[in-house]
Amino acid sequence: MKINFRSTVLLSTAVATILLLSGCGSKASETLEMSKSMYLSTFLELHQDYCEKKFKTQNSLKIALNKDQRFSLAQGFDGVYETHINKISFAISPETDGCTTDVMIKNRIAGGVMFNFEDINKALLLKGYKDLGKMAKRKKDVGTDQSEVTIMEKTYLSPKGEMTTLDFPLDKQDKYYMTLFAEKFSKINKERLKSKHLLKMAAR
């Protein structure tokens, strides 16, 4: 039987190439998943560092952010403190009634969407956030291109006992900042949260 050496070499090369590409694809997939996990962890760590801590006033939160050399005031946004981690922009905003952490979840640097709604919802629950059972879609918000965006809004009770609201864009995720807002500084909010928590505990 005559064996065509050239054909055998080409076949062997093709098989090796397929195996190599399969291996690279697997590694690329793993890297992407690791990146998603990293981005989500970074976001939640920043929120924990500032929005979960017991600052008594909006001004005390601003003072802490001014001392953190990672942050600087974001250009074009009043009172927003921005930091870049792995070239991704994350921001903390001291509000009159609380603290907001935000990020644009879809961007060129991340190569797409950093994480989805299910990812952050699961991560919050694992961190000890309590699901208050309030979730709704709304379509009145406007993105950076002035077009309408669909938002999923969900509320939680944080491990610190503060009402926390997640606003997650379901579309145009490169035109609208995903935000996680913790209510703070307001005595009315704190009393309302305390009452809600006691009622929920009593219903168990």
Side-chain angles (χ1 to χ4, degrees), residues 131-147:
D131 185 348
L132 294 182
K134 184 180 178 183
M135 185 165 68
K137 287 184 183 179
R138 63 173 194 265
K139 294 186 177 182
K140 294 182 180 179
D141 294 78
V142 175
T144 56
D145 62 349
Q146 302 305 307
S147 63

Side-chain angles (χ1 to χ4, degrees), residues 119-157:
D119 292 331
I120 190 167
N121 178 61
K122 182 180 178 181
L124 288 170
L125 295 176
L126 287 173
K127 280 176 63 66
Y129 280 75
K130 302 297 183 184
D131 185 348
L132 294 182
K134 184 180 178 183
M135 185 165 68
K137 287 184 183 179
R138 63 173 194 265
K139 294 186 177 182
K140 294 182 180 179
D141 294 78
V142 175
T144 56
D145 62 349
Q146 302 305 307
S147 63
E148 196 173 79
V149 182
T150 304
I151 304 298
M152 177 67 76
E153 181 178 282
K154 186 173 177 64
T155 57
Y156 307 83
L157 192 68

Side-chain angles (χ1 to χ4, degrees), residues 19-47:
L19 291 172
L20 180 62
L21 289 174
S22 297
C24 289
S26 177
K27 287 181 180 179
S29 177
E30 288 175 8
T31 302
L32 181 61
E33 290 304 315
M34 286 174 65
S35 295
K36 285 184 177 182
S37 175
M38 179 188 69
Y39 292 134
L40 179 54
S41 295
T42 299
F43 179 87
L44 293 176
E45 283 169 11
L46 288 173
H47 187 79

Side-chain angles (χ1 to χ4, degrees), residues 1-8:
M1 180 178 177
K2 187 177 180 180
I3 299 174
N4 189 321
F5 179 73
R6 188 165 180 265
S7 298
T8 304

Side-chain angles (χ1 to χ4, degrees), residues 169-188:
L170 297 179
D171 53 21
K172 301 183 182 175
Q173 295 171 327
D174 58 344
K175 305 294 182 186
Y176 190 94
Y177 288 93
M178 185 205 76
T179 64
L180 190 62
F181 171 73
E183 287 189 11
K184 310 170 84 71
F185 315 139
S186 169
K187 290 182 180 179
I188 295 174

